[in-house]
Amino acid sequence: MKTPIHSINIDFSHSSEAKALLEVLDARFAPFPNAESYLDGVCDQLKEAIELLESVEV
């Protein structure tokens, strides 16, 4: 995973939080074509976070 020079760290306590953020990003930024390249990376990282959280949740 590449970490950009400028980054935001978000701690999720449950996969549902990461899923909710992914849904908001998908819905909010879909109409903005210039945001897609950056948001693709953000969404990929969110999907990795969701998979990780789901693997450790009971």
Side-chain angles (χ1 to χ4, degrees):
M1 178 185 334
K2 292 189 247 179
T3 303
I5 294 172
H6 303 286
S7 63
I8 298 172
N9 294 319
I10 302 174
D11 293 325
F12 299 107
S13 58
H14 194 268
S15 64
S16 62
E17 296 170 342
K19 288 178 185 177
L21 180 55
L22 184 59
E23 289 176 12
V24 168
L25 287 175
D26 283 341
R28 176 74 173 120
F29 291 104
F32 300 102
N34 294 337
E36 284 184 30
S37 62
Y38 174 75
L39 288 178
D40 284 344
V42 171
C43 290
D44 289 343
Q45 290 182 13
L46 278 172
K47 290 173 187 174
E48 289 177 11
I50 291 166
E51 289 176 7
L52 177 63
L53 287 165
E54 286 178 338
S55 72
V56 297
E57 289 171 356
V58 178

